[in-house]
């Protein structure tokens, strides 16, 4: 076994290249992104979804390229790349920053979900109690290792399929004329909306952390692209659904268009489908938060090898609880979401290409020196 | 390790917080709400709850008296408009009032004329209110309608009203519920509508469609024109049109299929042309003796088309004069026009030319010649 290689009993199959990035992308943004997107580009917002998805495909290609180049230098993950390229201290600092973003990823989703629970179902819900209970589940999942996290992602993917199918209930009440006239908005406003899609497409960059855990990564490559294409498809469908279901003025006022849409679905003997789905939606949250906790605990293990991952995990989850409780109201949740989206935009669209370039540069420089 | 896990799991029991529960036997489910405007931004609100009184069942639980027997039927009181009736009436309820399953919301005509901005905003903000809620304007007092005891039917009034409106929505009345109302109310270049109901004697009746301008009631489409309204509004397949081809000589036509297609020309000009193409596929149900037969069906089609076109144009002209747009023509024009000029639309709407072309196909004339 080469140094830095992961034992095969701890590795995931190549298919997880599809499941994990995809389930990371599907998270809390799916409930509310339509409002933000249609603000600038109205009925053409689905184009913004398309553009955002294609851009993330390009970034995915860069990430895979970066990791593949790195394979011959040892373990191919974000932490090792940083330390190899920037040295122990600067690399460690960069590791801290990217991990902070991943922690933000978990916390923002957890806290936004609690906000939705408080608004829609349980106004009296205590943030502290809920996060503690939720973090216990996360603790249990992450303790099982990356394979269990991957399994949770798989289950989440399967469990979410009925929710996507629920969009068919919009068809009888749809006003397809809302989509007309097509391509009315200027490319600039569509690109602004495409910038807003970063929040929903983020998550695939976690590939940078668990790549060495994938068995036969060359096979996982095509699955990674499929994963992003699937998310893109789901987002476009949901965007179209919201556009044809709500009038423009209504959309401007609706904070969670997807949930409001579920609110108008009803079956005989089963009304308020929205409440059932919101609880069910916890399944979309589990993989994101547990992967975030896994990455954060792994960072601690990588930086301070003395600390075992399972002890680091407790600390990480405590941080989750503390930050969640510190976020007091809906406005702060929104600020945290924006912060997460903007930092993520920088990391994915500026930092990853830069890293790829820098890696290539170092190869040239060091290659000549040797 | 096992002990530790056990301790943690036991500690979990302490975490269980005291969430309020909604057990069906322990709450009062509001099923209908009525709002009567009494001036000075004050309303008389009425809420009804279902009455689960069963016939005395000896040997049943509680010594023959069901636990729900003492439930009240309705509460009413005066409050300012825009306030949730549930909050207002809680002091009168012996159990928590819950609005999660409200079926019907009724407003009287005075409130509709006064403007319903606060009411609608409140409904749109409240996560508990279902979106397929049935809403209607009442001619007369909603309080009397909801609290009257002399209906022929024994089912609760909330279900009576909802069934009646939903049934008619499939026939001559355009689809209307809270979702539709909010869609039009908040949407650009369109105005909402609601069905009008009235208590006549010991029953309820649909009397037409109440047309709003923004949040204010402006006019009524009478019962006999609802077919025309629906024909221009959406496609449907269960309406009945009463055609008076000569004085006092009627033919009742049941439509099997009606489709509507809009085309718009010069959407940004000062007088846009709106073309409505209606295709009706119908069957004759009743006819004046000797007025129709299979071979002569086509003779009825032409005058019928003409009458419908005239009526449709007249209806739209009335809307244009009042400056209201319940047919969402403005939105249709927008969807056909690049860089639609929305600011000047209210003025241009009044000048818009509406052309209606109806094609009727009478497919059957009944089982006798």
């Amino acid at each position: 076994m080469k140094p830095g290689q992961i034992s095969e009993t701890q590795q995931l199959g190549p298919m997880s290249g599809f499941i994990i990035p995809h389930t990371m992308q599907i998270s809390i943004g799916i409930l509310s992104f339509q409002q933000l997107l249609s603000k600038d580009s109205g009925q053409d917002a689905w184009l913004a979804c398309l553009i955002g998805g294609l851009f993330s495909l390009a970034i995915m290609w860069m990430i895979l390229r970066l990791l593949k180049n790195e394979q011959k230098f040892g373990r191919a993950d974000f932490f090792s790349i940083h330390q190899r390229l920037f040295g122990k201290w600067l690399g460690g600092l960069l590791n801290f920053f990217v991990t902070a973003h991943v922690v933000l990823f978990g916390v923002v989703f957890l806290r936004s979900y609690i906000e939705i629970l408080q608004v829609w179902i349980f106004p009296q819900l205590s943030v502290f109690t809920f996060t503690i209970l939720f973090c216990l589940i996360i603790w249990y999942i992450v303790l099982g290792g990356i394979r269990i996290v991957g399994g949770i992602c798989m289950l989440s993917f399967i469990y979410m399929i009925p929710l996507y199918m629920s969009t068919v209930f919009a068809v009888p009440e749809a006003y397809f004329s809302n989509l007309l006239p097509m391509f009315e908005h200027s490319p600039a406003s569509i690109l602004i909306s495409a910038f807003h899609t970063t929040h929903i497409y983020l998550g695939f960059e976690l590939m940078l952390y668990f790549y060495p855990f994938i068995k036969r990564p060359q096979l996982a490559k095509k699955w990674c692209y499929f994963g992003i294409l699937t998310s893109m498809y789901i987002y476009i469908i949901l965007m179209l659904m919201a556009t044809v279901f709500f009038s423009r003025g209504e959309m401007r006022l609706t904070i969670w268009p997807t949930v409001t849409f579920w609110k108008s679905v009803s079956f005989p003997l089963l009304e308020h489908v929205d409440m059932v789905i919101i609880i069910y939606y916890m399944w979309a949250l589990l993989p994101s938060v547990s992967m975030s906790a896994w990455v954060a605990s792994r960072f601690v293990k990588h930086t301070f090898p003395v600390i075992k991952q399972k002890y680091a995990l407790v600390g990480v989850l405590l941080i989750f609880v503390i930050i969640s409780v510190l976020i007091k109201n809906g406005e702060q949740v929104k600020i945290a979401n924006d912060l997460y989206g903007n930092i993520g935009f920088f990391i994915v669209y500026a930092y990853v290409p830069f890293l790829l370039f820098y890696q290539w540069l170092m190869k040239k420089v060091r290659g000549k020196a040797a | 390790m096992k002990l530790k896990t056990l301790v943690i799991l036991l500690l979990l029991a302490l975490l269980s917080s005291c969430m309020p529960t909604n057990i069906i036997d322990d709450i009062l489910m509001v099923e209908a709400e009525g709002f009567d405007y009494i001036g000075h931004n004050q309303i008389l609100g009425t809420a009804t709850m279902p009455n689960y009184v069963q016939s005395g069942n000896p040997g049943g639980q509680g010594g023959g008296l069901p636990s729900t027997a003492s439930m009240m039927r309705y509460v009413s009181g005066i409050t300012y408009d825009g306030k949730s009736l549930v909050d207002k009436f809680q002091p009168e309820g012996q159990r928590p009032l819950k609005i999660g399953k409200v079926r019907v919301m009724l407003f009287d005509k005075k409130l509709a004329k006064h403007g319903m901005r606060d009411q609608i905003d409140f409904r749109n903000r409240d996560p508990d209110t279902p979106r397929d809620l049935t809403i209607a304007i009442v001619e007369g007092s909603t309080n009397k309608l909801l609290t009257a005891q002399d209906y022929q039917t024994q089912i609760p009034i909330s279900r009576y009203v909802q069934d009646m409106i939903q049934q008619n929505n499939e026939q001559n009345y355009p689809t209307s519920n809270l979702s539709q109302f909010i869609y039009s109310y908040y949407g650009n270049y369109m105005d909402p509508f609601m069905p009008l109901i009235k208590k006549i004697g010991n029953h309820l009746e649909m009397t037409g469609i109440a047309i709003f301008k923004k949040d204010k009631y402006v006019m009524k489409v009478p019962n006999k024109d609802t077919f025309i309204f629906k024909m221009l509004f959406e496609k449907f397949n269960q309406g009945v049109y009463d055609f008076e081809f000569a004085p006092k000589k009627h033919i009742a036509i049941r439509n099997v299929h009606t489709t509507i297609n809009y085309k718009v020309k010069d959407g940004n000009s000062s007088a846009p042309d709106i073309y409505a193409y209606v295709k009706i596929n119908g069957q004759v149900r009743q006819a004046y003796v000797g007025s129709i037969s299979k071979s002569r069906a086509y003779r009825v089609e032409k005058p019928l088309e003409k009458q419908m076109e005239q009526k449709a144009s007249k209806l739209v002209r009335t809307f244009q004069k009042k400056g209201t747009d319940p047919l969402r023509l403005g939105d249709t024009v927008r969807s056909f026009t690049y860089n639609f000029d929305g600011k000047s639309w209210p003025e241009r709407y009044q000048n818009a030319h509406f052309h209606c072309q109806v094609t009727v196909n009478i497919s059957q004339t009944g089982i006798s010649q």
Side-chain angles (χ1 to χ4, degrees):
Chain A
M1 197 187 284
K2 273 192 288 179
Q5 195 157 359
I6 310 289
S7 144
E8 202 164 291
T9 53
Q10 282 296 314
Q11 281 189 315
L12 298 155
M15 251 277 269
S16 40
F18 170 82
I19 301 288
I20 298 180
H22 170 72
T23 45
M24 294 295 118
Q25 288 185 319
I26 301 291
S27 49
I28 214 77
I30 196 172
L31 303 178
S32 57
F33 74 104
Q34 295 102 328
Q35 188 213 13
L36 198 61
L37 259 63
S38 64
K39 201 186 282 171
D40 291 298
S41 53
Q43 73 272 39
D44 295 331
W46 62 272
L47 265 179
C49 282
L50 186 72
I51 292 170
L54 294 178
F55 271 118
S56 27
L57 269 186
I59 298 296
M60 194 68 186
W61 176 81
M62 283 185 194
I63 288 174
L64 290 174
R65 192 63 198 248
L66 182 75
L67 292 166
K68 193 159 178 274
N69 292 344
E70 191 64 24
Q71 258 177 337
K72 51 180 170 287
F73 299 106
R75 186 173 292 177
D77 66 4
F78 221 4
F79 301 142
S80 313
I81 294 175
H82 275 146
Q83 293 214 319
R84 186 179 72 84
L85 292 178
F86 301 105
K88 198 180 170 195
W89 289 105
L90 189 58
L93 198 64
L94 285 169
N95 281 346
F96 175 74
F97 283 127
V98 291
T99 312
H101 181 252
V102 176
V103 169
L104 194 61
F105 167 80
V107 171
V108 158
F109 289 158
L110 187 54
R111 189 61 186 81
S112 309
Y113 181 69
I114 295 171
E115 191 203 359
I116 288 175
L117 273 183
Q118 283 177 335
V119 171
W120 286 85
I121 310 178
F122 305 118
Q124 296 89 349
L125 185 77
S126 141
V127 178
F128 182 67
T129 318
F130 185 82
T131 36
I132 288 211
L133 288 176
F134 198 82
C135 284
L136 274 170
I137 306 174
I138 302 294
W139 174 71
Y140 182 68
I141 292 170
V142 179
L143 219 53
I146 186 74
R147 285 189 128 179
I148 306 297
V149 177
I152 290 289
C153 292
M154 179 72 195
L155 280 180
S156 162
F157 172 69
I158 295 168
Y159 290 166
M160 285 300 115
I161 291 173
L163 293 202
Y164 310 139
M165 302 221 282
S166 73
T167 44
V168 296
F169 292 113
V171 174
E173 289 176 57
Y175 298 96
F176 289 102
S177 64
N178 282 2
L179 289 170
L180 297 169
M182 274 184 192
F183 315 120
E184 192 188 26
H185 291 81
S186 64
S189 53
I190 289 177
L191 280 179
I192 292 173
S193 291
F195 164 71
H196 288 310
T197 60
T198 341
H199 185 279
I200 52 172
Y201 281 115
L202 274 180
F204 66 94
E205 85 281 4
L206 291 181
M207 193 72 190
L208 283 163
Y209 301 95
F210 64 84
Y211 186 76
F213 287 85
I214 294 179
K215 221 187 289 179
R216 296 193 296 278
Q218 65 281 4
L219 287 180
K221 214 168 159 183
K222 64 170 187 231
W223 289 113
C224 294
Y225 299 132
F226 270 133
I228 290 181
L229 283 174
T230 313
S231 312
M232 186 171 96
Y233 174 71
I234 289 164
Y235 286 138
I236 290 176
I237 293 287
L238 283 171
M239 189 68 231
L240 288 176
M241 180 278 288
T243 315
V244 299
F245 191 78
F246 297 106
S247 59
R248 192 79 60 77
E250 205 182 350
M251 180 90 104
R252 214 176 47 236
L253 295 170
T254 312
I255 305 172
W256 293 283
T258 316
V259 189
T260 306
F261 158 67
W262 282 328
K263 194 175 147 187
S264 41
V265 177
S266 77
F267 302 100
L269 294 176
L270 180 64
E271 283 174 51
H272 272 296
V273 177
D274 52 327
M275 294 192 175
V276 179
I277 294 182
I278 287 174
I279 301 296
Y280 188 74
Y281 203 76
M282 204 184 281
W283 266 105
L285 203 72
L286 274 178
S288 301
V289 181
S290 43
M291 182 56 100
S292 152
W294 181 82
V295 169
S297 57
R298 192 150 178 83
F299 160 73
V300 178
K301 190 193 169 196
H302 183 94
T303 322
F304 314 102
V306 201
I307 306 172
K308 276 188 178 172
Q309 193 168 353
K310 68 177 174 187
Y311 298 126
L313 179 64
V314 176
V316 168
L317 291 178
L318 276 180
I319 292 172
F320 272 42
V321 174
I322 291 166
I323 302 179
S324 299
V325 173
L326 283 179
I327 300 176
K328 287 281 178 230
N329 54 29
E331 189 54 34
Q332 287 170 357
V333 173
K334 194 171 171 293
I335 292 170
N337 265 300
D338 289 347
L339 189 71
Y340 160 70
N342 292 340
I343 296 176
F345 182 81
F346 173 75
I347 289 180
V348 167
Y349 289 100
Y351 186 61
V352 167
F354 162 75
L355 207 60
L356 187 63
F357 172 73
Y358 191 75
Q359 190 194 39
W360 172 80
L361 202 71
M362 287 306 270
K363 199 175 120 196
K364 290 279 163 201
V365 173
R366 284 187 186 163
K368 257 176 205 159
Chain B
M1 187 63 205
K2 265 194 183 146
L3 191 73
K4 263 189 206 165
T5 322
L6 193 70
V7 169
I8 288 171
L9 285 176
L10 283 177
L11 279 175
L12 276 184
L14 296 177
L15 279 171
S16 63
S17 54
C18 305
M19 275 309 191
T21 50
N22 287 330
I23 298 162
I24 190 115
D25 288 334
D26 295 339
I27 56 169
L28 289 174
M29 277 197 306
V30 176
E31 281 209 336
E33 285 192 342
F35 301 82
D36 289 305
Y37 188 63
I38 51 171
H40 305 292
N41 290 330
Q42 284 201 312
I43 53 163
L44 171 69
T46 314
T48 72
M49 299 86 170
N51 194 354
Y52 289 118
V53 177
Q54 298 157 358
S55 54
N57 180 14
Q61 81 278 58
L65 194 68
S67 55
T68 49
S70 57
M71 272 190 170
M72 63 179 133
R73 297 280 293 277
Y74 57 83
V75 284
S76 60
I78 293 167
T79 175
Y80 59 90
D81 69 343
K83 191 187 179 189
S84 153
L85 292 187
V86 165
D87 300 339
K88 161 74 187 166
F89 294 142
Q90 191 53 69
E92 296 178 41
Q94 80 273 35
R95 290 193 174 135
L97 292 173
K98 294 286 172 187
I99 202 174
K101 218 175 135 54
V102 61
R103 294 160 182 270
V104 176
M105 217 162 265
L106 302 174
F107 307 92
D108 82 330
K109 227 169 172 175
K110 259 187 258 159
L111 179 64
K113 275 178 186 154
H114 168 70
M116 312 213 323
R117 203 177 49 131
D118 295 345
Q119 301 289 339
I120 298 158
D121 180 71
F122 180 70
R123 286 306 142 222
N124 196 29
R125 195 176 292 280
D126 184 8
D128 288 339
T129 318
R131 266 174 74 94
D132 58 349
L133 183 68
T134 303
I135 48 174
I137 299 286
V138 173
E139 287 185 296
S141 155
T142 65
N143 181 274
K144 280 191 189 131
L145 189 144
L146 286 175
T147 58
Q149 302 289 332
D150 59 344
Y151 292 109
Q152 294 167 346
T153 165
Q154 289 296 314
I155 60 168
I157 176 70
S158 50
R159 260 167 260 186
Y160 180 22
V161 174
Q162 192 184 31
D163 287 353
M164 183 182 72
I165 293 174
Q166 284 186 347
Q167 176 56 32
N168 280 293
N169 279 347
E170 281 174 17
Q171 301 191 356
N172 269 14
Y173 278 78
T175 317
S176 67
N177 54 26
L178 186 68
S179 184
Q180 287 274 341
F181 191 89
I182 286 177
Y183 181 92
S184 291
Y185 176 72
Y186 288 113
N188 305 326
Y189 328 119
M190 41 183 148
D191 290 301
F193 60 84
M194 275 189 209
L196 265 169
I197 62 173
K198 193 177 183 182
K199 179 171 185 289
I200 299 172
N202 54 7
H203 67 282
L204 294 173
E205 199 174 300
M206 311 275 289
T207 54
I209 308 168
I211 307 289
F212 286 71
K213 183 179 182 179
K214 299 277 177 263
D215 64 327
K216 287 192 173 63
Y217 172 90
V218 286
M219 63 174 285
K220 167 185 175 179
V221 175
N223 198 14
K224 62 180 184 350
D225 285 341
T226 50
F227 186 95
I228 303 288
F229 185 92
K230 186 159 191 179
M231 168 184 102
L232 294 172
F233 184 70
E234 60 189 345
K235 65 172 191 191
F236 68 121
N237 58 10
Q238 287 185 50
V240 175
Y241 184 73
D242 190 42
F243 174 45
E244 193 171 3
F245 65 96
K248 300 232 169 128
K249 292 182 179 174
H250 294 262
I251 295 175
I253 291 157
R254 172 167 286 275
N255 74 326
V256 187
H257 245 359
T258 297
T259 55
I260 169 83
N261 264 312
Y262 278 103
K263 290 255 162 20
V264 174
K265 234 192 225 168
D266 305 329
N268 267 340
S269 70
S270 59
D273 290 293
I274 304 166
Y275 299 88
Y277 301 99
V278 183
K279 277 209 183 91
I280 297 176
N281 208 346
Q283 294 188 349
V284 170
R285 273 300 147 106
Q286 299 133 41
Y288 186 75
V289 181
S291 62
I292 199 163
S293 72
K294 244 181 203 168
S295 53
R296 282 185 292 163
Y298 68 93
R299 281 201 219 161
V300 184
E301 288 171 3
K302 276 276 151 337
L304 180 59
E305 285 168 6
K306 214 168 174 190
Q307 194 194 48
M308 282 184 157
E309 282 165 14
Q310 272 172 357
K311 276 195 172 178
S313 302
K314 205 177 135 202
L315 192 67
V316 172
R317 217 173 304 127
T318 331
F319 291 152
Q320 282 175 322
K321 259 185 222 152
K322 299 259 184 193
T324 170
D325 191 1
L327 293 170
R328 300 175 183 160
L329 294 177
D331 192 56
T332 309
V333 175
R334 178 203 58 80
S335 70
F336 275 94
T337 317
Y338 279 91
N339 304 317
F340 177 68
D341 179 12
K343 280 223 176 73
S344 65
W345 174 248
E347 291 106 66
R348 291 191 290 128
Y349 172 59
Q350 312 221 335
N351 304 329
H353 301 300
F354 180 79
H355 312 273
C356 182
Q357 193 190 331
V358 182
T359 320
V360 177
N361 173 31
I362 292 177
S363 55
Q364 293 296 329
T365 58
I367 54 169
S368 67
Q369 280 288 333

